[in-house]
Amino acid sequence: QVQLVESGGGWVQAGGSLRLSCTDSGRTFGRYAMGWFRQAPGKEREFVAAITRNSGSSTYADSVKGRFTISRDNVKNTVYLQMNSLKPEDTAVYYCAAVLGLLTMRPDDYNYWGQGTQVTVSS
């Protein structure tokens, strides 16, 4: 069973940085590729970044490429999202998710989701 809990959200001024964490309290974290998604008010959930089980590969949405970095620590059962050069349009609830399979950007492919953490970027 995978149980995901996000942390690290908050308020930051444009140009600032935040690091989100997502920890799995289960014992099978290393079997899952992990992704980060976000959802702004009135908008659909969108893909942000994803990483393979062994950190061998990662992929990013064009809107965050070069500013965000996804990483994971399979000993700590945690996936991270380092967010730099934040913009007001990055404001959203950020969710981590786990998929038993290949890297994917489609939310419907993911098997487990966290509860989300709010990120607010002011101009």
Side-chain angles (χ1 to χ4, degrees), residues 19-71:
R19 188 175 82 154
L20 305 183
S21 300
C22 171
T23 300
D24 172 27
S25 59
R27 302 172 68 176
T28 59
F29 180 76
R31 297 174 58 189
Y32 293 84
M34 299 297 298
W36 284 97
F37 293 79
R38 65 187 182 186
Q39 188 167 18
K43 295 187 176 181
E44 293 188 353
R45 191 168 298 190
E46 65 172 354
F47 171 78
V48 175
I51 189 167
T52 53
R53 294 178 297 173
N54 61 359
S55 301
S57 180
S58 57
T59 188
Y60 297 89
D62 287 343
S63 58
V64 306
K65 204 169 292 184
R67 300 188 298 122
F68 291 11
T69 303
I70 188 171
S71 62

mmCIF file of all heavy atoms in Angstrom, residues 19-71:
data_model
loop_
_atom_site.group_PDB
_atom_site.id
_atom_site.type_symbol
_atom_site.label_atom_id
_atom_site.label_comp_id
_atom_site.label_asym_id
_atom_site.label_seq_id
_atom_site.Cartn_x
_atom_site.Cartn_y
_atom_site.Cartn_z
ATOM 1 N N ARG A 19 11.093 24.010 -1.867
ATOM 2 C CA ARG A 19 11.313 22.589 -2.124
ATOM 3 C C ARG A 19 10.165 21.800 -1.531
ATOM 4 O O ARG A 19 9.938 21.844 -0.317
ATOM 5 C CB ARG A 19 12.636 22.088 -1.556
ATOM 6 C CG ARG A 19 12.921 20.652 -2.007
ATOM 7 C CD ARG A 19 14.268 20.138 -1.567
ATOM 8 N NE ARG A 19 14.260 19.652 -0.189
ATOM 9 C CZ ARG A 19 15.101 18.739 0.286
ATOM 10 N NH1 ARG A 19 16.018 18.218 -0.512
ATOM 11 N NH2 ARG A 19 15.049 18.368 1.556
ATOM 12 N N LEU A 20 9.469 21.082 -2.382
ATOM 13 C CA LEU A 20 8.392 20.216 -1.939
ATOM 14 C C LEU A 20 8.932 18.809 -1.693
ATOM 15 O O LEU A 20 9.842 18.352 -2.394
ATOM 16 C CB LEU A 20 7.286 20.141 -2.989
ATOM 17 C CG LEU A 20 6.685 21.475 -3.441
ATOM 18 C CD1 LEU A 20 5.554 21.216 -4.443
ATOM 19 C CD2 LEU A 20 6.200 22.287 -2.279
ATOM 20 N N SER A 21 8.363 18.151 -0.706
ATOM 21 C CA SER A 21 8.704 16.764 -0.404
ATOM 22 C C SER A 21 7.434 15.931 -0.409
ATOM 23 O O SER A 21 6.345 16.424 -0.099
ATOM 24 C CB SER A 21 9.365 16.652 0.969
ATOM 25 O OG SER A 21 10.556 17.396 1.041
ATOM 26 N N CYS A 22 7.591 14.685 -0.755
ATOM 27 C CA CYS A 22 6.465 13.745 -0.740
ATOM 28 C C CYS A 22 7.011 12.421 -0.219
ATOM 29 O O CYS A 22 7.874 11.811 -0.860
ATOM 30 C CB CYS A 22 5.887 13.591 -2.130
ATOM 31 S SG CYS A 22 4.666 12.267 -2.300
ATOM 32 N N THR A 23 6.496 11.995 0.908
ATOM 33 C CA THR A 23 6.999 10.788 1.559
ATOM 34 C C THR A 23 5.935 9.702 1.565
ATOM 35 O O THR A 23 4.754 9.964 1.834
ATOM 36 C CB THR A 23 7.432 11.105 2.997
ATOM 37 O OG1 THR A 23 8.473 12.088 2.957
ATOM 38 C CG2 THR A 23 7.973 9.855 3.695
ATOM 39 N N ASP A 24 6.384 8.490 1.285
ATOM 40 C CA ASP A 24 5.510 7.318 1.293
ATOM 41 C C ASP A 24 5.740 6.551 2.580
ATOM 42 O O ASP A 24 6.879 6.169 2.887
ATOM 43 C CB ASP A 24 5.823 6.440 0.088
ATOM 44 C CG ASP A 24 5.100 5.100 0.116
ATOM 45 O OD1 ASP A 24 4.021 5.029 0.740
ATOM 46 O OD2 ASP A 24 5.614 4.143 -0.487
ATOM 47 N N SER A 25 4.677 6.310 3.314
ATOM 48 C CA SER A 25 4.813 5.578 4.574
ATOM 49 C C SER A 25 4.781 4.065 4.370
ATOM 50 O O SER A 25 4.930 3.309 5.333
ATOM 51 C CB SER A 25 3.691 5.978 5.539
ATOM 52 O OG SER A 25 2.429 5.695 4.971
ATOM 53 N N GLY A 26 4.600 3.617 3.119
ATOM 54 C CA GLY A 26 4.586 2.195 2.844
ATOM 55 C C GLY A 26 5.986 1.631 2.675
ATOM 56 O O GLY A 26 6.980 2.274 3.018
ATOM 57 N N ARG A 27 6.054 0.432 2.093
ATOM 58 C CA ARG A 27 7.330 -0.268 1.982
ATOM 59 C C ARG A 27 7.668 -0.636 0.546
ATOM 60 O O ARG A 27 8.581 -1.422 0.317
ATOM 61 C CB ARG A 27 7.290 -1.512 2.851
ATOM 62 C CG ARG A 27 7.015 -1.217 4.305
ATOM 63 C CD ARG A 27 6.785 -2.473 5.121
ATOM 64 N NE ARG A 27 7.994 -3.270 5.254
ATOM 65 C CZ ARG A 27 8.069 -4.363 5.980
ATOM 66 N NH1 ARG A 27 6.993 -4.807 6.605
ATOM 67 N NH2 ARG A 27 9.186 -5.046 6.063
ATOM 68 N N THR A 28 6.940 -0.033 -0.406
ATOM 69 C CA THR A 28 7.148 -0.404 -1.805
ATOM 70 C C THR A 28 7.487 0.792 -2.678
ATOM 71 O O THR A 28 7.333 0.741 -3.890
ATOM 72 C CB THR A 28 5.892 -1.100 -2.360
ATOM 73 O OG1 THR A 28 4.776 -0.199 -2.240
ATOM 74 C CG2 THR A 28 5.602 -2.398 -1.622
ATOM 75 N N PHE A 29 7.964 1.870 -2.067
ATOM 76 C CA PHE A 29 8.196 3.123 -2.785
ATOM 77 C C PHE A 29 9.067 2.911 -4.008
ATOM 78 O O PHE A 29 8.808 3.459 -5.077
ATOM 79 C CB PHE A 29 8.846 4.119 -1.827
ATOM 80 C CG PHE A 29 9.148 5.456 -2.431
ATOM 81 C CD1 PHE A 29 8.135 6.378 -2.654
ATOM 82 C CD2 PHE A 29 10.454 5.818 -2.751
ATOM 83 C CE1 PHE A 29 8.417 7.619 -3.198
ATOM 84 C CE2 PHE A 29 10.743 7.051 -3.298
ATOM 85 C CZ PHE A 29 9.721 7.952 -3.516
ATOM 86 N N GLY A 30 10.112 2.130 -3.889
ATOM 87 C CA GLY A 30 11.061 1.940 -4.972
ATOM 88 C C GLY A 30 10.496 1.249 -6.196
ATOM 89 O O GLY A 30 11.137 1.228 -7.252
ATOM 90 N N ARG A 31 9.306 0.700 -6.099
ATOM 91 C CA ARG A 31 8.693 0.019 -7.245
ATOM 92 C C ARG A 31 7.964 0.982 -8.167
ATOM 93 O O ARG A 31 7.561 0.605 -9.263
ATOM 94 C CB ARG A 31 7.699 -1.025 -6.747
ATOM 95 C CG ARG A 31 8.312 -2.140 -5.934
ATOM 96 C CD ARG A 31 7.246 -3.046 -5.364
ATOM 97 N NE ARG A 31 6.408 -3.638 -6.407
ATOM 98 C CZ ARG A 31 5.303 -4.331 -6.171
ATOM 99 N NH1 ARG A 31 4.881 -4.505 -4.936
ATOM 100 N NH2 ARG A 31 4.614 -4.837 -7.167
ATOM 101 N N TYR A 32 7.788 2.223 -7.726
ATOM 102 C CA TYR A 32 6.930 3.167 -8.426
ATOM 103 C C TYR A 32 7.724 4.295 -9.063
ATOM 104 O O TYR A 32 8.624 4.875 -8.437
ATOM 105 C CB TYR A 32 5.912 3.769 -7.465
ATOM 106 C CG TYR A 32 4.905 2.773 -6.954
ATOM 107 C CD1 TYR A 32 5.198 1.962 -5.864
ATOM 108 C CD2 TYR A 32 3.665 2.637 -7.564
ATOM 109 C CE1 TYR A 32 4.279 1.032 -5.403
ATOM 110 C CE2 TYR A 32 2.739 1.722 -7.104
ATOM 111 C CZ TYR A 32 3.054 0.924 -6.027
ATOM 112 O OH TYR A 32 2.141 0.008 -5.575
ATOM 113 N N ALA A 33 7.356 4.637 -10.293
ATOM 114 C CA ALA A 33 7.748 5.927 -10.845
ATOM 115 C C ALA A 33 6.904 6.988 -10.141
ATOM 116 O O ALA A 33 5.769 6.718 -9.724
ATOM 117 C CB ALA A 33 7.519 5.974 -12.349
ATOM 118 N N MET A 34 7.458 8.176 -9.992
ATOM 119 C CA MET A 34 6.785 9.229 -9.235
ATOM 120 C C MET A 34 6.614 10.479 -10.091
ATOM 121 O O MET A 34 7.475 10.812 -10.912
ATOM 122 C CB MET A 34 7.597 9.579 -7.994
ATOM 123 C CG MET A 34 7.784 8.435 -7.017
ATOM 124 S SD MET A 34 6.227 7.842 -6.327
ATOM 125 C CE MET A 34 5.658 9.313 -5.461
ATOM 126 N N GLY A 35 5.505 11.154 -9.869
ATOM 127 C CA GLY A 35 5.237 12.372 -10.602
ATOM 128 C C GLY A 35 4.744 13.482 -9.701
ATOM 129 O O GLY A 35 4.260 13.236 -8.590
ATOM 130 N N TRP A 36 4.908 14.696 -10.182
ATOM 131 C CA TRP A 36 4.320 15.876 -9.545
ATOM 132 C C TRP A 36 3.346 16.510 -10.540
ATOM 133 O O TRP A 36 3.662 16.639 -11.735
ATOM 134 C CB TRP A 36 5.394 16.896 -9.174
ATOM 135 C CG TRP A 36 6.200 16.541 -7.976
ATOM 136 C CD1 TRP A 36 7.434 15.945 -7.949
ATOM 137 C CD2 TRP A 36 5.845 16.772 -6.607
ATOM 138 N NE1 TRP A 36 7.861 15.792 -6.658
ATOM 139 C CE2 TRP A 36 6.911 16.290 -5.812
ATOM 140 C CE3 TRP A 36 4.748 17.340 -5.969
ATOM 141 C CZ2 TRP A 36 6.888 16.362 -4.418
ATOM 142 C CZ3 TRP A 36 4.730 17.406 -4.590
ATOM 143 C CH2 TRP A 36 5.788 16.919 -3.833
ATOM 144 N N PHE A 37 2.189 16.896 -10.012
ATOM 145 C CA PHE A 37 1.171 17.582 -10.791
ATOM 146 C C PHE A 37 0.745 18.823 -10.021
ATOM 147 O O PHE A 37 1.054 18.957 -8.839
ATOM 148 C CB PHE A 37 -0.044 16.671 -11.008
ATOM 149 C CG PHE A 37 0.245 15.480 -11.875
ATOM 150 C CD1 PHE A 37 0.886 14.361 -11.364
ATOM 151 C CD2 PHE A 37 -0.117 15.481 -13.211
ATOM 152 C CE1 PHE A 37 1.168 13.259 -12.170
ATOM 153 C CE2 PHE A 37 0.152 14.385 -14.019
ATOM 154 C CZ PHE A 37 0.797 13.293 -13.504
ATOM 155 N N ARG A 38 0.031 19.713 -10.693
ATOM 156 C CA ARG A 38 -0.489 20.880 -10.001
ATOM 157 C C ARG A 38 -1.858 21.247 -10.564
ATOM 158 O O ARG A 38 -2.175 20.924 -11.711
ATOM 159 C CB ARG A 38 0.474 22.059 -10.108
ATOM 160 C CG ARG A 38 0.669 22.601 -11.507
ATOM 161 C CD ARG A 38 1.776 23.653 -11.513
ATOM 162 N NE ARG A 38 1.971 24.236 -12.832
ATOM 163 C CZ ARG A 38 2.948 25.090 -13.136
ATOM 164 N NH1 ARG A 38 3.833 25.444 -12.194
ATOM 165 N NH2 ARG A 38 3.046 25.582 -14.350
ATOM 166 N N GLN A 39 -2.629 21.915 -9.727
ATOM 167 C CA GLN A 39 -3.950 22.353 -10.147
ATOM 168 C C GLN A 39 -4.226 23.732 -9.581
ATOM 169 O O GLN A 39 -4.240 23.922 -8.363
ATOM 170 C CB GLN A 39 -5.022 21.366 -9.687
ATOM 171 C CG GLN A 39 -6.393 21.652 -10.256
ATOM 172 C CD GLN A 39 -7.356 20.504 -10.055
ATOM 173 O OE1 GLN A 39 -7.149 19.624 -9.225
ATOM 174 N NE2 GLN A 39 -8.431 20.484 -10.831
ATOM 175 N N ALA A 40 -4.427 24.679 -10.496
ATOM 176 C CA ALA A 40 -4.778 26.039 -10.111
ATOM 177 C C ALA A 40 -6.302 26.169 -10.087
ATOM 178 O O ALA A 40 -7.007 25.395 -10.743
ATOM 179 C CB ALA A 40 -4.171 27.029 -11.095
ATOM 180 N N PRO A 41 -6.811 27.151 -9.347
ATOM 181 C CA PRO A 41 -8.268 27.325 -9.274
ATOM 182 C C PRO A 41 -8.891 27.483 -10.658
ATOM 183 O O PRO A 41 -8.410 28.276 -11.482
ATOM 184 C CB PRO A 41 -8.421 28.604 -8.454
ATOM 185 C CG PRO A 41 -7.190 28.675 -7.627
ATOM 186 C CD PRO A 41 -6.097 28.099 -8.483
ATOM 187 N N GLY A 42 -9.932 26.710 -10.918
ATOM 188 C CA GLY A 42 -10.634 26.802 -12.185
ATOM 189 C C GLY A 42 -9.946 26.132 -13.358
ATOM 190 O O GLY A 42 -10.426 26.232 -14.492
ATOM 191 N N LYS A 43 -8.836 25.450 -13.084
ATOM 192 C CA LYS A 43 -8.100 24.803 -14.169
ATOM 193 C C LYS A 43 -7.996 23.298 -13.914
ATOM 194 O O LYS A 43 -8.169 22.831 -12.794
ATOM 195 C CB LYS A 43 -6.701 25.407 -14.309
ATOM 196 C CG LYS A 43 -6.703 26.862 -14.730
ATOM 197 C CD LYS A 43 -5.295 27.345 -15.021
ATOM 198 C CE LYS A 43 -5.296 28.780 -15.529
ATOM 199 N NZ LYS A 43 -3.917 29.259 -15.831
ATOM 200 N N GLU A 44 -7.676 22.572 -14.975
ATOM 201 C CA GLU A 44 -7.489 21.134 -14.840
ATOM 202 C C GLU A 44 -6.125 20.834 -14.225
ATOM 203 O O GLU A 44 -5.202 21.645 -14.299
ATOM 204 C CB GLU A 44 -7.606 20.458 -16.209
ATOM 205 C CG GLU A 44 -9.004 20.520 -16.795
ATOM 206 C CD GLU A 44 -9.128 19.684 -18.057
ATOM 207 O OE1 GLU A 44 -8.106 19.171 -18.535
ATOM 208 O OE2 GLU A 44 -10.262 19.558 -18.559
ATOM 209 N N ARG A 45 -6.035 19.656 -13.648
ATOM 210 C CA ARG A 45 -4.756 19.217 -13.107
ATOM 211 C C ARG A 45 -3.769 19.043 -14.256
ATOM 212 O O ARG A 45 -4.108 18.448 -15.285
ATOM 213 C CB ARG A 45 -4.941 17.907 -12.351
ATOM 214 C CG ARG A 45 -3.752 17.485 -11.533
ATOM 215 C CD ARG A 45 -4.102 16.363 -10.592
ATOM 216 N NE ARG A 45 -5.131 16.759 -9.620
ATOM 217 C CZ ARG A 45 -5.483 16.023 -8.565
ATOM 218 N NH1 ARG A 45 -4.904 14.851 -8.358
ATOM 219 N NH2 ARG A 45 -6.416 16.442 -7.743
ATOM 220 N N GLU A 46 -2.542 19.544 -14.076
ATOM 221 C CA GLU A 46 -1.562 19.459 -15.148
ATOM 222 C C GLU A 46 -0.267 18.826 -14.653
ATOM 223 O O GLU A 46 0.118 18.960 -13.490
ATOM 224 C CB GLU A 46 -1.266 20.848 -15.732
ATOM 225 C CG GLU A 46 -0.600 21.811 -14.793
ATOM 226 C CD GLU A 46 -0.160 23.103 -15.486
ATOM 227 O OE1 GLU A 46 -0.277 23.207 -16.722
ATOM 228 O OE2 GLU A 46 0.333 23.998 -14.781
ATOM 229 N N PHE A 47 0.394 18.180 -15.586
ATOM 230 C CA PHE A 47 1.663 17.525 -15.304
ATOM 231 C C PHE A 47 2.749 18.561 -15.059
ATOM 232 O O PHE A 47 2.818 19.586 -15.737
ATOM 233 C CB PHE A 47 2.036 16.642 -16.489
ATOM 234 C CG PHE A 47 3.427 16.082 -16.416
ATOM 235 C CD1 PHE A 47 3.712 15.005 -15.586
ATOM 236 C CD2 PHE A 47 4.444 16.627 -17.185
ATOM 237 C CE1 PHE A 47 4.998 14.493 -15.520
ATOM 238 C CE2 PHE A 47 5.722 16.116 -17.128
ATOM 239 C CZ PHE A 47 6.007 15.053 -16.294
ATOM 240 N N VAL A 48 3.638 18.262 -14.089
ATOM 241 C CA VAL A 48 4.774 19.135 -13.809
ATOM 242 C C VAL A 48 6.090 18.408 -14.095
ATOM 243 O O VAL A 48 6.922 18.877 -14.865
ATOM 244 C CB VAL A 48 4.757 19.619 -12.353
ATOM 245 C CG1 VAL A 48 6.006 20.414 -12.034
ATOM 246 C CG2 VAL A 48 3.500 20.439 -12.081
ATOM 247 N N ALA A 49 6.278 17.244 -13.457
ATOM 248 C CA ALA A 49 7.541 16.510 -13.605
ATOM 249 C C ALA A 49 7.332 15.069 -13.175
ATOM 250 O O ALA A 49 6.411 14.765 -12.420
ATOM 251 C CB ALA A 49 8.646 17.150 -12.776
ATOM 252 N N ALA A 50 8.202 14.186 -13.665
ATOM 253 C CA ALA A 50 8.145 12.782 -13.266
ATOM 254 C C ALA A 50 9.537 12.187 -13.302
ATOM 255 O O ALA A 50 10.419 12.675 -14.034
ATOM 256 C CB ALA A 50 7.205 11.993 -14.166
ATOM 257 N N ILE A 51 9.722 11.117 -12.534
ATOM 258 C CA ILE A 51 11.034 10.479 -12.432
ATOM 259 C C ILE A 51 10.844 8.969 -12.351
ATOM 260 O O ILE A 51 9.874 8.481 -11.761
ATOM 261 C CB ILE A 51 11.796 11.020 -11.197
ATOM 262 C CG1 ILE A 51 13.250 10.559 -11.181
ATOM 263 C CG2 ILE A 51 11.081 10.650 -9.899
ATOM 264 C CD1 ILE A 51 14.098 11.319 -10.154
ATOM 265 N N THR A 52 11.767 8.238 -12.957
ATOM 266 C CA THR A 52 11.670 6.788 -12.946
ATOM 267 C C THR A 52 12.016 6.212 -11.575
ATOM 268 O O THR A 52 12.503 6.914 -10.687
ATOM 269 C CB THR A 52 12.613 6.182 -13.997
ATOM 270 O OG1 THR A 52 13.945 6.700 -13.784
ATOM 271 C CG2 THR A 52 12.158 6.528 -15.399
ATOM 272 N N ARG A 53 11.805 4.912 -11.433
ATOM 273 C CA ARG A 53 12.005 4.240 -10.134
ATOM 274 C C ARG A 53 13.423 4.391 -9.619
ATOM 275 O O ARG A 53 13.657 4.545 -8.419
ATOM 276 C CB ARG A 53 11.663 2.761 -10.265
ATOM 277 C CG ARG A 53 10.202 2.479 -10.540
ATOM 278 C CD ARG A 53 9.965 0.999 -10.714
ATOM 279 N NE ARG A 53 10.681 0.460 -11.862
ATOM 280 C CZ ARG A 53 10.746 -0.821 -12.167
ATOM 281 N NH1 ARG A 53 10.159 -1.711 -11.378
ATOM 282 N NH2 ARG A 53 11.389 -1.219 -13.234
ATOM 283 N N ASN A 54 14.390 4.318 -10.539
ATOM 284 C CA ASN A 54 15.794 4.337 -10.123
ATOM 285 C C ASN A 54 16.475 5.665 -10.403
ATOM 286 O O ASN A 54 17.706 5.755 -10.396
ATOM 287 C CB ASN A 54 16.559 3.223 -10.833
ATOM 288 C CG ASN A 54 16.532 3.398 -12.342
ATOM 289 O OD1 ASN A 54 15.936 4.342 -12.855
ATOM 290 N ND2 ASN A 54 17.188 2.497 -13.056
ATOM 291 N N SER A 55 15.684 6.708 -10.658
ATOM 292 C CA SER A 55 16.190 8.060 -10.952
ATOM 293 C C SER A 55 16.985 8.119 -12.255
ATOM 294 O O SER A 55 17.698 9.091 -12.495
ATOM 295 C CB SER A 55 17.082 8.574 -9.810
ATOM 296 O OG SER A 55 16.382 8.610 -8.596
ATOM 297 N N GLY A 56 16.843 7.099 -13.092
ATOM 298 C CA GLY A 56 17.608 7.085 -14.320
ATOM 299 C C GLY A 56 17.134 8.069 -15.363
ATOM 300 O O GLY A 56 17.891 8.475 -16.247
ATOM 301 N N SER A 57 15.875 8.479 -15.248
ATOM 302 C CA SER A 57 15.312 9.390 -16.238
ATOM 303 C C SER A 57 14.249 10.258 -15.583
ATOM 304 O O SER A 57 13.568 9.829 -14.645
ATOM 305 C CB SER A 57 14.697 8.589 -17.387
ATOM 306 O OG SER A 57 14.149 9.446 -18.363
ATOM 307 N N SER A 58 14.121 11.470 -16.096
ATOM 308 C CA SER A 58 13.082 12.374 -15.614
ATOM 309 C C SER A 58 12.570 13.188 -16.793
ATOM 310 O O SER A 58 13.237 13.295 -17.831
ATOM 311 C CB SER A 58 13.609 13.294 -14.511
ATOM 312 O OG SER A 58 14.719 14.040 -14.967
ATOM 313 N N THR A 59 11.399 13.737 -16.632
ATOM 314 C CA THR A 59 10.815 14.561 -17.681
ATOM 315 C C THR A 59 10.054 15.705 -17.046
ATOM 316 O O THR A 59 9.578 15.586 -15.908
ATOM 317 C CB THR A 59 9.911 13.715 -18.601
ATOM 318 O OG1 THR A 59 9.506 14.495 -19.709
ATOM 319 C CG2 THR A 59 8.681 13.203 -17.853
ATOM 320 N N TYR A 60 9.925 16.816 -17.775
ATOM 321 C CA TYR A 60 9.330 18.030 -17.241
ATOM 322 C C TYR A 60 8.357 18.647 -18.235
ATOM 323 O O TYR A 60 8.517 18.527 -19.452
ATOM 324 C CB TYR A 60 10.422 19.062 -16.943
ATOM 325 C CG TYR A 60 11.412 18.628 -15.893
ATOM 326 C CD1 TYR A 60 12.550 17.919 -16.244
ATOM 327 C CD2 TYR A 60 11.200 18.919 -14.549
ATOM 328 C CE1 TYR A 60 13.459 17.508 -15.281
ATOM 329 C CE2 TYR A 60 12.101 18.514 -13.584
ATOM 330 C CZ TYR A 60 13.228 17.803 -13.958
ATOM 331 O OH TYR A 60 14.115 17.394 -12.995
ATOM 332 N N ALA A 61 7.390 19.345 -17.695
ATOM 333 C CA ALA A 61 6.544 20.189 -18.526
ATOM 334 C C ALA A 61 7.384 21.353 -19.051
ATOM 335 O O ALA A 61 8.295 21.826 -18.368
ATOM 336 C CB ALA A 61 5.368 20.715 -17.711
ATOM 337 N N ASP A 62 7.072 21.811 -20.241
ATOM 338 C CA ASP A 62 7.837 22.910 -20.837
ATOM 339 C C ASP A 62 7.796 24.156 -19.953
ATOM 340 O O ASP A 62 8.774 24.906 -19.895
ATOM 341 C CB ASP A 62 7.280 23.245 -22.213
ATOM 342 C CG ASP A 62 7.624 22.189 -23.247
ATOM 343 O OD1 ASP A 62 8.537 21.375 -23.000
ATOM 344 O OD2 ASP A 62 6.967 22.172 -24.303
ATOM 345 N N SER A 63 6.696 24.352 -19.252
ATOM 346 C CA SER A 63 6.524 25.566 -18.455
ATOM 347 C C SER A 63 7.460 25.628 -17.244
ATOM 348 O O SER A 63 7.656 26.708 -16.684
ATOM 349 C CB SER A 63 5.068 25.682 -17.985
ATOM 350 O OG SER A 63 4.706 24.541 -17.220
ATOM 351 N N VAL A 64 8.020 24.492 -16.844
ATOM 352 C CA VAL A 64 8.886 24.487 -15.660
ATOM 353 C C VAL A 64 10.315 24.048 -15.985
ATOM 354 O O VAL A 64 11.184 24.087 -15.112
ATOM 355 C CB VAL A 64 8.317 23.574 -14.551
ATOM 356 C CG1 VAL A 64 6.879 23.959 -14.231
ATOM 357 C CG2 VAL A 64 8.417 22.102 -14.921
ATOM 358 N N LYS A 65 10.544 23.652 -17.213
ATOM 359 C CA LYS A 65 11.870 23.153 -17.598
ATOM 360 C C LYS A 65 12.929 24.213 -17.346
ATOM 361 O O LYS A 65 12.753 25.387 -17.701
ATOM 362 C CB LYS A 65 11.839 22.748 -19.073
ATOM 363 C CG LYS A 65 12.872 21.719 -19.474
ATOM 364 C CD LYS A 65 12.586 21.202 -20.881
ATOM 365 C CE LYS A 65 11.323 20.382 -20.956
ATOM 366 N NZ LYS A 65 11.096 19.800 -22.290
ATOM 367 N N GLY A 66 14.014 23.804 -16.696
ATOM 368 C CA GLY A 66 15.088 24.737 -16.389
ATOM 369 C C GLY A 66 14.915 25.459 -15.067
ATOM 370 O O GLY A 66 15.859 26.093 -14.570
ATOM 371 N N ARG A 67 13.726 25.375 -14.472
ATOM 372 C CA ARG A 67 13.467 26.038 -13.186
ATOM 373 C C ARG A 67 13.204 25.025 -12.084
ATOM 374 O O ARG A 67 13.556 25.258 -10.932
ATOM 375 C CB ARG A 67 12.256 26.961 -13.302
ATOM 376 C CG ARG A 67 12.412 28.069 -14.327
ATOM 377 C CD ARG A 67 11.261 29.072 -14.261
ATOM 378 N NE ARG A 67 9.972 28.464 -14.565
ATOM 379 C CZ ARG A 67 8.930 28.474 -13.736
ATOM 380 N NH1 ARG A 67 9.031 29.053 -12.546
ATOM 381 N NH2 ARG A 67 7.783 27.908 -14.093
ATOM 382 N N PHE A 68 12.563 23.907 -12.414
ATOM 383 C CA PHE A 68 12.204 22.893 -11.429
ATOM 384 C C PHE A 68 13.084 21.659 -11.625
ATOM 385 O O PHE A 68 13.463 21.326 -12.757
ATOM 386 C CB PHE A 68 10.742 22.463 -11.581
ATOM 387 C CG PHE A 68 9.726 23.508 -11.198
ATOM 388 C CD1 PHE A 68 10.066 24.825 -10.950
ATOM 389 C CD2 PHE A 68 8.390 23.152 -11.087
ATOM 390 C CE1 PHE A 68 9.120 25.775 -10.606
ATOM 391 C CE2 PHE A 68 7.421 24.078 -10.732
ATOM 392 C CZ PHE A 68 7.789 25.396 -10.497
ATOM 393 N N THR A 69 13.364 20.965 -10.520
ATOM 394 C CA THR A 69 14.122 19.721 -10.568
ATOM 395 C C THR A 69 13.450 18.680 -9.689
ATOM 396 O O THR A 69 13.201 18.937 -8.508
ATOM 397 C CB THR A 69 15.559 19.925 -10.098
ATOM 398 O OG1 THR A 69 16.192 20.932 -10.901
ATOM 399 C CG2 THR A 69 16.357 18.628 -10.214
ATOM 400 N N ILE A 70 13.176 17.527 -10.270
ATOM 401 C CA ILE A 70 12.610 16.409 -9.504
ATOM 402 C C ILE A 70 13.732 15.455 -9.140
ATOM 403 O O ILE A 70 14.646 15.220 -9.940
ATOM 404 C CB ILE A 70 11.504 15.692 -10.303
ATOM 405 C CG1 ILE A 70 10.789 14.658 -9.427
ATOM 406 C CG2 ILE A 70 12.048 15.064 -11.578
ATOM 407 C CD1 ILE A 70 9.537 14.068 -10.080
ATOM 408 N N SER A 71 13.681 14.921 -7.936
ATOM 409 C CA SER A 71 14.659 13.937 -7.482
ATOM 410 C C SER A 71 13.979 13.016 -6.474
ATOM 411 O O SER A 71 12.868 13.297 -6.015
ATOM 412 C CB SER A 71 15.871 14.620 -6.864
ATOM 413 O OG SER A 71 15.499 15.367 -5.716
#
